[in-house]
Amino acid sequence: MTQPLRVGLAGLGTVGAGVARLLRDNADLIAPRAGRPIAVGAVSARNRGRDRGVDLSAAAWEDDPVALAGRGDLDVVVEAMGGSDGPALATVQAALSAGRHVVTANKALLAWHGAALAAAAEAAGVALRFEAAVAGGVPIVKGLSEGLAANRIARVYGVLNGTCNYILTEMARSGRDYAPVLAEAQAKGYAEADPSFDVGGIDAAHKLALLASLAFGVKPDFGSVSVEGIDAVSLADIAHADALGYRVKLLGVARRDGDAVERAVRPCLVRAGSAIGQLDGVTNAVVVEGDFVGRCVFEGPGAGAGPTASAIVADLIDIARGAAGPAFGVPAASLAPPVSGALRPAEHYVRLSLDDRPGALAEIAADLGTEGVSIRAMNQPDHAGEGGATVLIVTHACQREALDRALARVAARPVSLAEPVAFRIEDV
Amino acid sequence: MTQPLRVGLAGLGTVGAGVARLLRDNADLIAPRAGRPIAVGAVSARNRGRDRGVDLSAAAWEDDPVALAGRGDLDVVVEAMGGSDGPALATVQAALSAGRHVVTANKALLAWHGAALAAAAEAAGVALRFEAAVAGGVPIVKGLSEGLAANRIARVYGVLNGTCNYILTEMARSGRDYAPVLAEAQAKGYAEADPSFDVGGIDAAHKLALLASLAFGVKPDFGSVSVEGIDAVSLADIAHADALGYRVKLLGVARRDGDAVERAVRPCLVRAGSAIGQLDGVTNAVVVEGDFVGRCVFEGPGAGAGPTASAIVADLIDIARGAAGPAFGVPAASLAPPVSGALRPAEHYVRLSLDDRPGALAEIAADLGTEGVSIRAMNQPDHAGEGGATVLIVTHACQREALDRALARVAARPVSLAEPVAFRIEDV
């Protein structure tokens, strides 16, 4: 057996310590699969003394991760610190400059700086790999960039944030509203103390930016991804959607439309019987639609120490075997800036709260008609007579912009008692 | 851009012609992903004149696929002829001997000769790749051998034959029995005129043998895989299973149990709400359970020209990039013969047809108890009084051998009106 692959671990939190444990526990099967052993040669973290459940005393210690990245005795640096800038960025840049391969789970870093880092890796002739950055343990980066590489991709979409899916699933299951379910998710460790990255859709959008790059050869360019979170989803909408045969999911969708690439994270209604509709709890799922393969679904745990370590070590095994393709599947110089186009028309779910008097529905229907939005189904559930009447509408496929203009007309009418709510129905 | 990867296509049926079409249609995106163009340099088929919907006049023609495999101007031979022996085997052997990489979709060939061919490929320093041999377009070979390579796999299982899943799904949906649904599947092109490879479980078992090799480092050794088909599944069992909250699926399961590896294809009951339970129609799905990643599901089209070509060309792109790991993920010399162990105990579904007289159930319960099989649930659906009574039993986890002994006792009793039926309930 040849020389071991020498790994430097920058960061020894949940992810870094998980990688160290995996390399120790499964060393016997990793060596034959990688063609050589994979050894932790050096580590860096903020607190040297902390017990991490794995003995790293044989590895050299560096206080400074950038110094670790520059060490001459390493082949690969695993960046496991997190953050879109600061030490994580400096460490990855230093490692690439020094001619070290880099493996990272850091979706924020790559969503912002992926194109530049991919170019730096190519210039240095080393690999930049990030299987763990999207959907945790699910090998979707490899699946998309290698397994389905022969296909012209039409659309890639999925449930990319387990926290949001847990909250939406739990609201539907228990009939409780957003706030108490979020509090429970925090208590269970499924949501951070500051949940805004998750529930605001940012984390999912980071991952979507990377999927879009892999699928369509565009720069991640996070700033131009459209993002909405789940805080606007009410229990009422989940219940109404259910009655109509839909589930509400926070969906990341990247779709090619001519030269444009639509990239959006937003709450959507999806058919209850679809693979995405049936996805409960913290599981992630990604669906890829290719011209030759048709539709492939990848499902599994989207977060956690074990799944993240599984993905990082898979990248290390690839590197040990000599894999060295470009980070986003095509040369970095060919990554085009994504062109945003008009959203593909879609059916929409609309919930209105109207004063319950004769003629109200006619006024609404007229507003929709004026903007060219046609109604596929309308339903006014029976109500106790107190407060306004809830009116549910499913539109035929329409442009969101036209629907928004129509709903602005509706909102301006005296008959309208609350801001209209509208969600896209994504055909999954 | 460097020299094109020069491919020889041995076989121009559905699969071979599909590969040629894909290489033509998506040439613009394959070249940047592969780092160089992929070109068809030579072809071989039985009928030179046939119109295959793709112009291959620029490629050299060989009447004999073995001669094609020996040509000096090719880098890779794609074996798309089929058959576990004969010309397919001779062609692959010739290509490897000549130092050509080989890509094949031929599950039968590899299930029988995979270990020897993997050794020949290693000796020649070339790749032997077979993504298309398992679950068609779904990149499960790569997912298992690379994406999840860091994991100790406990179990890999799935629905591996679309024809069987279509038939079982359609029986459940339409309430029609096996024979007419099979006839319809044949009319629709989902089943062969001679369906025995599919409905007998052989095709699924070929694929399972390959999955077990990748997951557990054992030889494919097809002869020792346990195989049952779906012809024993009656409409009554599907309906009873449904009432109990289960679906009947033809499941391939490979499981590590100490040093032993269980490998079996058989009809099983699975929870209706599970990913496998919800899988309808011709779709394939494979579930991998690893110690660090947890559970990952891969789903997609298991057959057809497009999906198969997608998988074959993915292998070609990998080869063009220089990938050259061992065929089954570890060196061929380390592939161990699979050791068969006792099946893990499982709950079972049992259907009995009994003479409807006092004491009958007591006799049956005694027989099960004598063999140590304990009853979790027993149900005798109301019946019109004509013929025998149907008795449904769900056992607690038990050894199949013990259950079979108990059912032999039951069958020998005068009260028993028909051969007992039993299916394993797989915990998915």
Side-chain angles (χ1 to χ4, degrees), chain A residues 18 22 25-26 28-29 32-33 137-139 142 145-152 215 278 291-293 295-301 306-307 310 313-314 317-318 321 329-331, chain B residues 22 25-26 28-29 32-33 137-139 142 145-152 215 278 291-293 295-301 306-307 310 313-314 317-318 321 329-331:
Chain A
L22 173 42
D25 291 357
N26 289 353
D28 61 317
L29 57 85
R33 291 181 186 172
V138 183
K142 182 177 281 284
S145 63
E146 300 177 21
L148 303 176
N151 291 270
R152 206 173 301 276
Q278 293 167 347
D291 58 350
F292 274 75
V293 77
R295 173 185 300 204
C296 279
V297 184
F298 301 74
E299 242 182 76
S310 167
V313 176
I317 292 173
D318 270 3
R321 280 177 174 158
V330 296
Chain B
L22 173 42
D25 291 357
N26 289 353
D28 61 317
L29 58 85
R33 292 181 186 172
V138 182
K142 183 177 279 284
S145 62
E146 300 177 21
L148 303 176
N151 290 271
R152 206 173 299 278
Q278 292 167 348
D291 58 350
F292 274 75
V293 77
R295 174 186 299 205
C296 279
V297 184
F298 301 75
E299 241 182 78
S310 167
V313 177
I317 292 173
D318 270 2
R321 280 177 174 157
V330 295

Coordinates of all heavy atoms in Angstrom, one line a residue, chain A residues 18 22 25-26 28-29 32-33 137-139 142 145-152 215 278 291-293 295-301 306-307 310 313-314 317-318 321 329-331, chain B residues 22 25-26 28-29 32-33 137-139 142 145-152 215 278 291-293 295-301 306-307 310 313-314 317-318 321 329-331:
Chain A
G18 N -16.5 14.7 14.0 CA -17.2 13.5 13.4 C -16.3 12.9 12.3 O -16.2 11.7 12.2
L22 N -14.9 9.1 12.3 CA -15.2 8.2 11.2 C -13.9 7.6 10.6 O -13.8 6.4 10.4 CB -15.9 8.9 10.1 CG -16.2 8.2 8.7 CD1 -16.6 6.8 8.9 CD2 -17.2 9.0 7.9
D25 N -12.9 4.9 13.2 CA -13.8 3.8 13.3 C -13.8 2.9 12.1 O -13.9 1.7 12.2 CB -15.2 4.2 13.6 CG -15.4 4.8 15.0 OD1 -14.4 4.8 15.7 OD2 -16.5 5.3 15.3
N26 N -13.7 3.5 10.9 CA -13.8 2.7 9.7 C -12.5 2.6 8.9 O -12.5 2.4 7.7 CB -14.9 3.3 8.8 CG -16.3 3.0 9.4 OD1 -16.4 2.2 10.4 ND2 -17.4 3.5 8.8
D28 N -10.4 0.4 8.7 CA -10.1 -0.9 8.0 C -10.8 -1.0 6.7 O -10.3 -1.7 5.8 CB -10.6 -2.0 8.9 CG -12.1 -1.9 9.2 OD1 -12.6 -0.8 9.5 OD2 -12.8 -2.9 9.2
L29 N -11.9 -0.3 6.5 CA -12.6 -0.4 5.2 C -12.3 0.7 4.3 O -12.4 0.7 3.1 CB -14.1 -0.7 5.3 CG -15.0 0.3 6.1 CD1 -15.4 1.5 5.2 CD2 -16.2 -0.4 6.5
P32 N -8.7 0.0 1.9 CA -8.9 -0.7 0.6 C -9.7 0.1 -0.4 O -9.5 0.0 -1.6 CB -9.5 -2.0 1.0 CG -10.0 -1.9 2.4 CD -9.2 -0.8 3.0
R33 N -10.7 0.8 0.1 CA -11.6 1.5 -0.9 C -10.8 2.7 -1.4 O -11.1 3.1 -2.6 CB -12.9 2.0 -0.2 CG -13.8 0.8 0.1 CD -15.1 1.2 0.7 NE -15.9 0.0 1.1 CZ -17.0 0.1 1.9 NH1 -17.5 1.2 2.2 NH2 -17.6 -1.0 2.2
G137 N -25.6 13.9 4.1 CA -25.0 12.7 3.7 C -25.4 12.1 2.4 O -24.8 11.2 1.9
V138 N -26.4 12.8 1.8 CA -26.9 12.3 0.5 C -25.9 12.6 -0.6 O -25.5 13.8 -0.8 CB -28.2 13.0 0.2 CG1 -28.8 12.4 -1.1 CG2 -29.2 12.8 1.3
P139 N -25.4 11.7 -1.4 CA -24.4 12.0 -2.4 C -24.9 12.6 -3.6 O -24.8 12.1 -4.7 CB -23.7 10.6 -2.7 CG -24.8 9.6 -2.3 CD -25.7 10.2 -1.3
K142 N -22.1 14.4 -6.1 CA -21.6 13.4 -7.0 C -22.7 12.9 -8.0 O -22.4 12.7 -9.2 CB -21.0 12.2 -6.2 CG -20.4 11.1 -7.0 CD -19.8 10.0 -6.1 CE -18.5 10.4 -5.5 NZ -17.4 10.3 -6.5
S145 N -23.2 15.8 -10.6 CA -22.0 16.2 -11.4 C -21.3 15.0 -12.1 O -20.6 15.2 -13.1 CB -21.0 17.0 -10.6 OG -20.5 16.2 -9.6
E146 N -21.5 13.8 -11.6 CA -20.9 12.6 -12.2 C -22.0 11.6 -12.7 O -22.0 11.2 -13.8 CB -19.9 11.9 -11.2 CG -18.8 12.9 -10.8 CD -17.9 12.2 -9.8 OE1 -17.8 11.0 -9.7 OE2 -17.2 13.0 -9.0
G147 N -22.8 11.1 -11.8 CA -23.7 10.1 -12.1 C -24.7 10.5 -13.2 O -25.1 9.6 -14.0
L148 N -25.1 11.7 -13.2 CA -26.1 12.2 -14.2 C -25.4 13.1 -15.2 O -26.1 13.9 -15.9 CB -27.3 12.8 -13.6 CG -28.0 11.9 -12.6 CD1 -29.2 12.6 -11.9 CD2 -28.6 10.6 -13.3
A149 N -24.1 13.1 -15.3 CA -23.3 14.1 -16.1 C -23.6 14.1 -17.6 O -23.4 15.0 -18.3 CB -21.8 13.9 -15.9
A150 N -24.2 13.0 -18.1 CA -24.5 12.9 -19.5 C -25.8 13.6 -19.9 O -26.0 13.7 -21.1 CB -24.6 11.4 -19.9
N151 N -26.5 14.1 -18.9 CA -27.8 14.7 -19.2 C -27.8 16.2 -19.3 O -27.1 16.9 -18.6 CB -28.8 14.3 -18.1 CG -29.1 12.8 -18.1 OD1 -30.1 12.4 -18.7 ND2 -28.3 12.0 -17.4
R152 N -28.7 16.7 -20.2 CA -29.0 18.1 -20.2 C -30.1 18.2 -19.1 O -31.2 17.6 -19.2 CB -29.6 18.5 -21.5 CG -29.5 20.0 -21.8 CD -29.9 20.2 -23.3 NE -29.1 19.5 -24.3 CZ -27.9 19.9 -24.7 NH1 -27.4 21.1 -24.3 NH2 -27.3 19.2 -25.6
A215 N -25.7 21.8 -12.0 CA -26.6 21.4 -13.1 C -26.5 22.2 -14.4 O -26.7 21.6 -15.4 CB -28.1 21.5 -12.5
Q278 N -44.5 13.5 0.2 CA -44.5 12.5 1.3 C -43.3 12.6 2.2 O -43.1 11.8 3.1 CB -44.5 11.1 0.6 CG -45.8 10.9 -0.1 CD -45.8 9.7 -1.0 OE1 -44.7 9.1 -1.3 NE2 -46.9 9.2 -1.5
D291 N -32.6 15.0 -19.6 CA -33.3 14.7 -20.8 C -33.2 13.2 -21.2 O -34.1 12.6 -21.8 CB -32.7 15.5 -22.0 CG -31.2 15.4 -22.2 OD1 -30.5 14.8 -21.3 OD2 -30.7 15.9 -23.2
F292 N -32.2 12.5 -20.8 CA -32.1 11.0 -21.1 C -32.6 10.2 -19.9 O -33.2 9.2 -20.1 CB -30.7 10.6 -21.5 CG -30.5 10.9 -23.0 CD1 -30.3 12.1 -23.5 CD2 -30.6 9.8 -23.9 CE1 -30.2 12.3 -24.9 CE2 -30.4 10.0 -25.3 CZ -30.3 11.3 -25.8
V293 N -32.2 10.6 -18.7 CA -32.5 9.7 -17.5 C -33.9 9.8 -17.1 O -34.5 8.9 -16.5 CB -31.5 10.0 -16.4 CG1 -31.9 11.3 -15.6 CG2 -31.5 8.9 -15.4
R295 N -36.4 11.2 -14.4 CA -36.4 11.8 -13.0 C -35.8 10.9 -12.0 O -36.2 9.7 -11.9 CB -37.9 12.1 -12.6 CG -38.1 12.5 -11.2 CD -39.5 12.6 -10.9 NE -40.2 13.6 -11.7 CZ -41.3 14.2 -11.4 NH1 -41.9 14.0 -10.2 NH2 -41.8 15.1 -12.2
C296 N -34.7 11.4 -11.3 CA -34.1 10.6 -10.3 C -34.3 11.4 -8.9 O -34.2 12.6 -8.9 CB -32.6 10.5 -10.5 SG -32.2 9.2 -11.6
V297 N -34.6 10.6 -7.9 CA -34.7 11.2 -6.6 C -33.7 10.7 -5.6 O -33.4 9.5 -5.6 CB -36.1 10.8 -6.0 CG1 -36.4 11.5 -4.6 CG2 -37.2 11.1 -7.0
F298 N -33.1 11.6 -4.9 CA -32.0 11.3 -3.9 C -32.6 11.7 -2.5 O -32.9 12.9 -2.4 CB -30.7 12.0 -4.2 CG -30.1 11.7 -5.5 CD1 -30.7 12.2 -6.7 CD2 -29.0 10.9 -5.6 CE1 -30.1 11.9 -7.9 CE2 -28.4 10.6 -6.8 CZ -29.0 11.1 -8.0
E299 N -32.6 10.9 -1.5 CA -33.2 11.2 -0.2 C -32.4 10.7 0.9 O -31.8 9.6 0.8 CB -34.5 10.4 -0.1 CG -35.8 11.2 0.0 CD -37.0 10.2 0.1 OE1 -37.2 9.7 1.2 OE2 -37.6 10.0 -0.9
G300 N -32.3 11.5 2.0 CA -31.6 11.0 3.1 C -31.4 12.1 4.1 O -31.9 13.2 4.0
P301 N -30.5 11.8 5.2 CA -30.3 12.8 6.2 C -29.6 14.0 5.8 O -28.5 13.9 5.3 CB -29.6 12.0 7.3 CG -29.0 10.9 6.6 CD -29.8 10.6 5.4
G306 N -22.8 12.5 11.8 CA -22.5 11.3 11.0 C -22.6 11.5 9.5 O -21.7 11.2 8.8
P307 N -23.8 11.9 9.1 CA -24.0 12.1 7.6 C -23.0 13.1 7.0 O -22.5 12.9 5.9 CB -25.4 12.7 7.5 CG -26.1 12.1 8.7 CD -25.1 12.1 9.8
S310 N -19.7 11.4 6.7 CA -19.8 10.4 5.6 C -19.5 11.1 4.3 O -18.7 10.5 3.5 CB -21.2 9.8 5.6 OG -21.4 9.1 4.4
V313 N -15.7 12.3 4.1 CA -14.7 11.2 3.9 C -14.9 10.6 2.6 O -13.9 10.2 2.0 CB -14.8 10.2 5.1 CG1 -13.9 9.0 4.8 CG2 -14.5 10.9 6.4
A314 N -16.1 10.6 2.0 CA -16.2 10.2 0.6 C -15.4 11.0 -0.3 O -14.7 10.5 -1.2 CB -17.7 10.2 0.2
I317 N -11.8 10.0 0.1 CA -11.5 8.7 -0.6 C -11.3 9.0 -2.1 O -10.4 8.5 -2.7 CB -12.6 7.7 -0.3 CG1 -12.6 7.3 1.1 CG2 -12.5 6.5 -1.2 CD1 -13.8 6.4 1.6
D318 N -12.2 9.8 -2.7 CA -12.0 10.2 -4.1 C -10.7 10.8 -4.3 O -10.0 10.5 -5.3 CB -13.1 11.2 -4.5 CG -14.4 10.5 -5.0 OD1 -14.4 9.3 -5.0 OD2 -15.3 11.2 -5.4
R321 N -7.9 8.4 -4.3 CA -7.8 7.6 -5.5 C -7.4 8.4 -6.7 O -7.2 7.9 -7.8 CB -9.3 7.1 -5.8 CG -9.7 6.0 -5.1 CD -11.2 5.7 -5.5 NE -11.7 4.5 -4.9 CZ -13.0 4.2 -4.8 NH1 -13.9 5.1 -5.1 NH2 -13.4 3.1 -4.2
G329 N -17.9 20.7 -12.0 CA -18.1 19.8 -13.1 C -17.6 20.2 -14.4 O -17.3 19.4 -15.3
V330 N -17.4 21.5 -14.6 CA -16.9 22.1 -15.8 C -15.8 23.1 -15.4 O -15.8 23.6 -14.3 CB -17.9 22.8 -16.7 CG1 -19.0 21.8 -17.2 CG2 -18.6 23.9 -15.9
P331 N -14.9 23.4 -16.3 CA -13.8 24.4 -16.0 C -14.4 25.7 -15.4 O -15.4 26.2 -15.9 CB -13.1 24.6 -17.3 CG -13.3 23.3 -18.1 CD -14.7 22.9 -17.7
Chain B
L22 N -27.3 9.6 -27.5 CA -26.9 10.5 -26.4 C -25.6 11.2 -26.7 O -25.5 12.4 -26.5 CB -26.9 9.7 -25.1 CG -26.4 10.4 -23.8 CD1 -26.9 11.8 -23.7 CD2 -26.7 9.6 -22.6
D25 N -26.5 13.8 -29.3 CA -27.3 14.9 -28.9 C -26.7 15.8 -27.8 O -26.9 17.1 -27.8 CB -28.6 14.4 -28.3 CG -29.5 13.7 -29.3 OD1 -29.1 13.8 -30.5 OD2 -30.6 13.2 -28.9
N26 N -25.9 15.3 -26.9 CA -25.4 16.1 -25.8 C -23.9 16.3 -25.9 O -23.2 16.5 -24.9 CB -25.8 15.4 -24.4 CG -27.3 15.6 -24.1 OD1 -28.0 16.3 -24.9 ND2 -27.8 15.0 -23.1
D28 N -22.2 18.7 -26.9 CA -21.7 20.0 -26.4 C -21.5 20.1 -24.9 O -20.7 20.8 -24.5 CB -22.7 21.1 -26.9 CG -24.1 20.8 -26.3 OD1 -24.6 19.7 -26.2 OD2 -24.7 21.8 -25.8
L29 N -22.3 19.3 -24.2 CA -22.1 19.4 -22.7 C -21.2 18.3 -22.2 O -20.7 18.4 -21.1 CB -23.4 19.5 -22.0 CG -24.5 18.5 -22.1 CD1 -24.2 17.3 -21.2 CD2 -25.8 19.0 -21.8
P32 N -17.1 19.4 -22.2 CA -16.5 20.1 -21.0 C -16.6 19.3 -19.7 O -15.7 19.4 -18.9 CB -17.4 21.3 -20.9 CG -18.5 21.1 -21.8 CD -18.1 20.1 -22.8
R33 N -17.6 18.5 -19.6 CA -17.7 17.7 -18.3 C -16.7 16.5 -18.3 O -16.2 16.2 -17.3 CB -19.1 17.1 -18.1 CG -20.1 18.2 -17.9 CD -21.5 17.7 -17.6 NE -22.5 18.8 -17.5 CZ -23.8 18.6 -17.5 NH1 -24.4 17.4 -17.5 NH2 -24.6 19.7 -17.4
G137 N -31.0 4.1 -14.9 CA -30.4 5.4 -14.9 C -30.0 5.9 -13.5 O -29.4 6.9 -13.4
V138 N -30.5 5.3 -12.4 CA -30.2 5.7 -11.1 C -28.7 5.5 -10.8 O -28.3 4.3 -10.8 CB -31.1 4.9 -10.1 CG1 -30.8 5.5 -8.7 CG2 -32.5 5.0 -10.5
P139 N -28.0 6.5 -10.4 CA -26.5 6.3 -10.1 C -26.2 5.6 -8.8 O -25.6 6.2 -7.9 CB -26.0 7.7 -10.2 CG -27.1 8.6 -9.9 CD -28.4 7.9 -10.3
K142 N -22.4 4.1 -8.4 CA -21.5 5.2 -7.9 C -21.9 5.7 -6.5 O -21.0 5.9 -5.7 CB -21.6 6.4 -8.9 CG -20.7 7.6 -8.6 CD -20.8 8.7 -9.6 CE -20.0 8.4 -10.8 NZ -18.6 8.6 -10.6
S145 N -20.6 2.8 -4.1 CA -19.1 2.5 -4.1 C -18.3 3.8 -3.9 O -17.1 3.7 -3.5 CB -18.7 1.8 -5.4 OG -18.9 2.6 -6.5
E146 N -18.8 5.0 -4.2 CA -18.1 6.2 -4.0 C -18.8 7.1 -3.0 O -18.2 7.5 -2.0 CB -17.9 6.9 -5.3 CG -17.1 6.0 -6.4 CD -17.0 6.7 -7.7 OE1 -17.1 8.0 -7.8 OE2 -16.8 6.0 -8.7
G147 N -20.0 7.5 -3.3 CA -20.7 8.5 -2.4 C -20.8 8.0 -1.0 O -20.8 8.9 -0.1
L148 N -21.0 6.7 -0.8 CA -21.2 6.2 0.6 C -20.1 5.3 1.0 O -20.2 4.6 2.0 CB -22.6 5.5 0.7 CG -23.8 6.3 0.3 CD1 -25.1 5.5 0.4 CD2 -23.9 7.6 1.3
A149 N -18.9 5.5 0.3 CA -17.8 4.6 0.5 C -17.2 4.7 1.9 O -16.5 3.7 2.4 CB -16.7 4.9 -0.5
A150 N -17.5 5.7 2.7 CA -16.9 5.8 4.0 C -17.6 5.0 5.1 O -17.2 4.9 6.2 CB -16.9 7.3 4.5
N151 N -18.8 4.4 4.7 CA -19.6 3.7 5.6 C -19.5 2.2 5.7 O -19.2 1.6 4.6 CB -21.1 4.0 5.3 CG -21.5 5.4 5.5 OD1 -21.9 5.8 6.6 ND2 -21.3 6.3 4.5
R152 N -19.6 1.7 6.9 CA -19.8 0.3 7.0 C -21.3 0.0 6.7 O -22.2 0.6 7.4 CB -19.5 -0.2 8.5 CG -19.1 -1.6 8.6 CD -18.6 -1.9 10.0 NE -17.4 -1.1 10.4 CZ -16.2 -1.3 10.1 NH1 -15.9 -2.4 9.5 NH2 -15.2 -0.6 10.5
A215 N -21.4 -3.4 -1.7 CA -21.6 -3.0 -0.3 C -20.7 -3.8 0.7 O -20.3 -3.2 1.7 CB -23.1 -3.2 0.1
Q278 N -44.4 3.1 -1.0 CA -45.1 4.1 -1.8 C -44.6 4.0 -3.3 O -45.1 4.8 -4.1 CB -44.8 5.4 -1.2 CG -45.5 5.6 0.1 CD -45.1 6.9 0.8 OE1 -44.1 7.5 0.5 NE2 -45.8 7.2 1.9
D291 N -23.4 3.1 8.6 CA -23.2 3.4 10.0 C -23.1 4.9 10.3 O -23.5 5.3 11.4 CB -22.1 2.6 10.7 CG -20.7 2.8 10.0 OD1 -20.7 3.5 8.9 OD2 -19.7 2.4 10.6
F292 N -22.5 5.6 9.4 CA -22.4 7.1 9.7 C -23.5 7.8 9.0 O -24.0 8.8 9.5 CB -21.0 7.6 9.3 CG -20.0 7.4 10.4 CD1 -19.5 6.2 10.7 CD2 -19.6 8.5 11.2 CE1 -18.6 6.0 11.7 CE2 -18.8 8.4 12.2 CZ -18.2 7.1 12.5
V293 N -23.9 7.4 7.8 CA -24.8 8.2 7.0 C -26.3 8.0 7.4 O -27.1 8.9 7.2 CB -24.7 8.0 5.5 CG1 -25.3 6.7 5.1 CG2 -25.3 9.1 4.7
R295 N -29.7 6.4 6.6 CA -30.4 5.8 5.5 C -30.5 6.7 4.3 O -31.0 7.8 4.4 CB -31.8 5.4 5.9 CG -32.7 4.9 4.9 CD -34.1 4.7 5.4 NE -34.1 3.7 6.5 CZ -35.2 2.9 6.8 NH1 -36.3 3.1 6.2 NH2 -35.1 2.1 7.8
C296 N -30.0 6.3 3.1 CA -30.2 7.0 1.9 C -31.0 6.3 0.9 O -30.9 5.0 0.8 CB -28.8 7.3 1.3 SG -28.0 8.7 2.0
V297 N -31.9 7.0 0.2 CA -32.8 6.3 -0.8 C -32.4 6.9 -2.2 O -32.3 8.1 -2.3 CB -34.2 6.6 -0.5 CG1 -35.1 5.9 -1.5 CG2 -34.6 6.3 0.9
F298 N -32.3 6.0 -3.2 CA -32.0 6.4 -4.6 C -33.2 5.9 -5.4 O -33.4 4.7 -5.4 CB -30.7 5.8 -5.1 CG -29.5 6.2 -4.3 CD1 -29.2 5.7 -3.1 CD2 -28.6 7.1 -4.9 CE1 -28.1 6.0 -2.4 CE2 -27.4 7.5 -4.2 CZ -27.2 6.9 -2.9
E299 N -33.9 6.7 -6.1 CA -35.1 6.3 -6.9 C -35.0 6.8 -8.3 O -34.6 8.0 -8.5 CB -36.2 7.0 -6.2 CG -37.3 6.1 -5.6 CD -38.4 7.0 -5.1 OE1 -39.3 7.5 -5.9 OE2 -38.4 7.1 -3.8
G300 N -35.5 6.0 -9.2 CA -35.6 6.5 -10.6 C -35.9 5.4 -11.6 O -36.3 4.3 -11.2
P301 N -35.9 5.8 -12.9 CA -36.2 4.8 -13.9 C -35.2 3.7 -14.0 O -34.0 3.9 -14.2 CB -36.3 5.6 -15.2 CG -35.4 6.8 -14.9 CD -35.5 7.1 -13.4
G306 N -33.1 5.6 -22.8 CA -32.6 6.8 -22.2 C -31.9 6.7 -20.9 O -30.7 7.0 -20.8
P307 N -32.5 6.1 -19.9 CA -31.8 5.9 -18.6 C -30.6 5.1 -18.7 O -29.6 5.4 -18.1 CB -32.9 5.3 -17.7 CG -34.2 5.8 -18.3 CD -34.0 5.8 -19.8
S310 N -27.9 7.0 -20.3 CA -27.4 8.0 -19.3 C -26.3 7.4 -18.4 O -25.3 8.0 -18.1 CB -28.6 8.5 -18.5 OG -28.2 9.3 -17.3
V313 N -23.0 6.5 -20.4 CA -22.2 7.6 -20.8 C -21.6 8.3 -19.5 O -20.5 8.8 -19.6 CB -23.0 8.6 -21.6 CG1 -22.2 9.9 -21.9 CG2 -23.5 8.0 -22.9
A314 N -22.3 8.2 -18.4 CA -21.7 8.7 -17.1 C -20.4 7.9 -16.9 O -19.4 8.5 -16.5 CB -22.6 8.5 -16.0
I317 N -17.8 9.2 -19.2 CA -17.2 10.5 -18.8 C -16.2 10.3 -17.7 O -15.1 10.9 -17.6 CB -18.4 11.4 -18.3 CG1 -19.2 11.8 -19.6 CG2 -17.8 12.7 -17.6 CD1 -20.5 12.6 -19.2
D318 N -16.5 9.4 -16.7 CA -15.6 9.1 -15.7 C -14.3 8.6 -16.2 O -13.2 9.0 -15.8 CB -16.2 8.0 -14.7 CG -16.9 8.6 -13.6 OD1 -17.1 9.9 -13.5 OD2 -17.4 7.9 -12.7
R321 N -12.2 11.2 -17.8 CA -11.5 12.0 -16.8 C -10.4 11.3 -16.1 O -9.7 11.9 -15.2 CB -12.5 12.4 -15.7 CG -13.4 13.5 -16.0 CD -14.4 13.7 -14.8 NE -15.3 14.9 -15.0 CZ -16.5 15.0 -14.4 NH1 -16.9 14.0 -13.6 NH2 -17.2 16.1 -14.6
G329 N -15.1 -1.6 -6.1 CA -14.7 -0.7 -5.0 C -13.5 -1.1 -4.2 O -12.9 -0.3 -3.6
V330 N -13.2 -2.4 -4.2 CA -11.9 -2.9 -3.5 C -11.2 -3.8 -4.5 O -11.8 -4.3 -5.4 CB -12.3 -3.6 -2.2 CG1 -12.9 -2.7 -1.2 CG2 -13.2 -4.8 -2.5
P331 N -9.9 -4.0 -4.3 CA -9.1 -4.9 -5.2 C -9.8 -6.2 -5.3 O -10.3 -6.8 -4.4 CB -7.8 -5.0 -4.5 CG -7.6 -3.8 -3.7 CD -9.0 -3.4 -3.2

